[in-house]
């Protein structure tokens, strides 16, 4: 099965995609929310107000916005330790995410999960945010099997990085999903570094998408810094899955603006490479296109970002003031109080 390449989509083609002005503004707002949230989180860590492991989504905003826009709200998501962006795109409130980072009981995991699990929200159909590299991939296949067994029209989308594609679980999961034609959308956020290891030193193939295609899975190789290209591939992939033809795979080529985690200065990356990718900033590219089309003005774009900053001011103060989970409540989260249900 061949790989379909989707490069940057020029602004003059936007009007042919069936998207409304509200759709374009939704995509821009979500990406700005992710950017501002992560910039605030980074600042809070440097100030010592937040502690623990944290992996920022800065630079990869187009992937979460584009893919989740292509899904229905009822579809499931499996996220990763770099999951703040997935949660924001799905509509998890700033307050719950920030409270989780501060370890408060009002957080998405009652303050017990921290950043690496903060994207989890059953209310928003985000079943898991795994801290294990590639750990969510076979779990998504299990969810896909359950959906197929129940003859559900829902699908499950699983996000993971390029570092996950050299694990055994990746191959086992893709093979089973293809053989059983499960309703799974695999989304690889290829930011070209597995922590500090360059992609070219750990991967010899033509593309990750080609590797997925070799299992008989419909695959796309996409400009992951163009939100419209990501959305277009997502819509096509979702339609393929819902038609009962089995899983689909999207490799989104993108780049993180910072290191692997907040503690990492990413000095292992060549400066010329970094500068080239910074010119492809997904928010600047999309905002400029919308301004060119008259969908938003520069002043409206600046106002949008100021509104988000003010909302973050409020949620940080709320998170700081929220209580921590009482120690006596912890046992209730270990043992079930009711009988387990199967099927």
């Amino acid at each position: 099965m061949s790989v379909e390449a989707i490069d940057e989509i020029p602004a003059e083609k936007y009007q042919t995609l069936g998207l409304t002005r509200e759709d374009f503004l939704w995509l821009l707002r979500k990406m700005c929310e992710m950017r501002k949230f992560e910039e605030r989180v980074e600042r809070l860590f440097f100030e010592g107000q937040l502690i623990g492991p944290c992996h920022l989504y800065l630079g990869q905003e187009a992937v979460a916005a584009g893919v989740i826009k292509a899904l229905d709200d009822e579809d499931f998501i499996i996220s990763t330790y770099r999951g703040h962006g997935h949660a924001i795109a799905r509509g998890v409130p700033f307050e719950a995410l920030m409270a989780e980072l501060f370890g408060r009981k009002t957080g998405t995991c009652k303050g017990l999960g921290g950043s690496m699990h903060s994207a989890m929200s059953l209310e928003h159909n985000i079943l898991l945010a795994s801290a294990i590299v590639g750990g969510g991939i076979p779990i998504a296949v299990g969810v896909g099997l359950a959906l197929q067994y129940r003859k559900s029209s829902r699908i499950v989308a699983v996000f993971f990085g390029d570092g996950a594609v050299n694990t055994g679980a990746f191959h086992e999961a893709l093979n089973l999903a293809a053989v059983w034609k499960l309703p799974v959308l695999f989304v690889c956020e290829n930011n070209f570094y597995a922590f500090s290891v360059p992609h070219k030193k750990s991967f010899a193939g033509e593309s990750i998408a080609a590797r997925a295609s070799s299992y008989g899975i419909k695959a796309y190789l996409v400009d992951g810094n163009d939100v419209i290209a990501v959305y277009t591939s997502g819509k096509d992939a979702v339609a393929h899955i819902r038609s009962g033809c089995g899983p689909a795979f999207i490799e989104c080529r993108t780049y993180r603006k910072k290191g692997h985690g907040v503690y990492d200065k990413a000095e292992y990356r060549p400066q010329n490479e970094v500068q080239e990718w910074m010119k492809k900033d997904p928010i600047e590219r999309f905002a400029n296109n919308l301004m060119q089309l008259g969908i938003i003005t520069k002043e409206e774009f600046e106002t949008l970002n100021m509104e988000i900053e003010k909302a973050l001011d409020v949620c940080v103060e709320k998170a700081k003031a929220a209580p921590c989970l009482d120690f006596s409540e912890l046992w209730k989260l270990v043992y079930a109080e009711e009988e387990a249900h199967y099927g």
Side-chain angles (χ1 to χ4, degrees):
M1 188 173 285
S2 62
V3 173
E4 182 174 343
I6 300 181
D7 299 323
E8 179 181 8
I9 295 178
E12 53 267 28
K13 289 191 176 180
Y14 280 15
Q15 306 296 354
T16 67
L17 302 174
L19 291 168
T20 65
R21 179 176 185 275
E22 287 68 31
D23 292 327
F24 290 122
L25 293 178
W26 184 93
L27 289 166
L28 181 63
R29 170 175 280 277
K30 285 300 173 186
M31 288 200 292
C32 290
E33 287 179 350
M34 293 179 220
R35 177 68 56 87
K36 293 298 179 186
F37 184 88
E38 296 295 61
E39 288 175 347
R40 182 65 63 95
V41 168
E42 182 182 44
R43 198 167 84 201
L44 291 167
F45 266 93
F46 288 159
E47 291 172 353
Q49 297 192 59
L50 291 175
I51 59 173
C54 180
H55 308 81
L56 300 173
Y57 201 66
L58 289 163
Q60 300 183 200
E61 297 90 350
V63 180
V67 170
I68 291 176
K69 178 68 175 171
L71 298 172
D72 289 345
D73 290 343
E74 294 302 309
D75 292 329
F76 293 111
I77 291 172
I78 304 291
S79 182
T80 69
Y81 53 82
R82 199 183 300 281
H84 302 168
H86 306 149
I88 291 170
R90 193 23 100 74
V92 176
F94 277 168
E95 288 81 359
L97 272 176
M98 192 63 79
E100 185 60 36
L101 301 187
F102 274 92
R104 308 304 196 205
K105 67 182 298 182
T106 52
T108 50
C109 299
K110 302 182 185 301
L112 302 176
S115 172
M116 294 211 285
H117 304 286
S118 61
M120 290 173 61
S121 174
L122 294 181
E123 181 184 351
H124 297 85
N125 291 319
I126 305 177
L127 302 179
L128 174 73
S130 175
I132 306 300
V133 172
I137 302 174
I139 291 174
V141 171
V143 174
L145 179 59
L147 292 172
Q148 185 187 68
Y149 181 79
R150 295 182 178 188
K151 302 185 187 311
S152 172
S153 62
R154 301 161 98 176
I155 71 173
V156 56
V158 55
F159 293 86
F160 51 90
D162 49 293
V165 305
N166 292 325
T167 65
F170 171 86
H171 295 276
E172 294 164 4
L174 262 66
N175 184 56
L176 269 186
V179 170
W180 291 340
K181 295 188 182 304
L182 299 180
V184 184
L185 175 59
F186 299 96
V187 183
C188 178
E189 304 193 61
N190 182 2
N191 61 27
F192 295 96
Y193 284 88
F195 201 138
S196 59
V197 178
H199 180 64
K200 61 185 177 184
K201 288 190 175 181
S202 63
F203 189 93
E206 173 188 340
S207 69
I208 296 171
R211 179 179 281 184
S213 177
S214 72
Y215 284 104
I217 294 176
K218 187 174 180 60
Y220 304 81
L221 179 58
V222 180
D223 181 342
N225 275 22
D226 179 3
V227 68
I228 297 301
V230 175
Y231 167 77
T232 300
S233 66
K235 284 294 286 185
D236 199 54
V238 167
H240 169 84
I241 297 168
R242 288 203 208 283
S243 69
C245 294
F249 190 103
I250 305 175
E251 177 187 351
C252 296
R253 291 191 168 177
T254 183
Y255 204 75
R256 48 178 157 82
K257 294 178 81 73
K258 298 295 178 73
H260 178 71
V262 288
Y263 47 81
D264 174 20
K265 296 180 180 178
E267 293 175 337
Y268 43 82
R269 301 192 300 193
Q271 277 307 302
N272 60 338
E273 174 188 288
V274 174
Q275 293 306 318
E276 282 302 309
W277 275 100
M278 293 305 113
K279 294 175 185 174
K280 302 175 185 175
D281 184 283
I283 296 177
E284 289 180 14
R285 288 168 82 185
F286 188 51
N288 287 336
N289 283 346
L290 296 187
M291 289 178 205
Q292 179 185 328
L293 294 171
I295 294 175
I296 192 171
T297 65
K298 184 178 179 181
E299 291 72 25
E300 289 170 333
F301 180 54
E302 292 171 350
T303 300
L304 168 64
N305 282 301
M306 285 192 291
E307 289 174 356
I308 296 169
E309 290 281 12
K310 289 179 181 176
L312 284 168
D313 290 340
V314 173
C315 88
V316 169
E317 293 308 312
K318 283 186 176 178
K320 288 179 181 177
C324 294
L325 195 69
D326 189 86
F327 189 79
S328 63
E329 298 179 76
L330 292 177
W331 70 273
K332 296 179 181 177
L333 304 175
V334 177
Y335 300 103
E337 294 182 333
E338 300 177 357
E339 291 185 7
H341 296 277
Y342 301 94

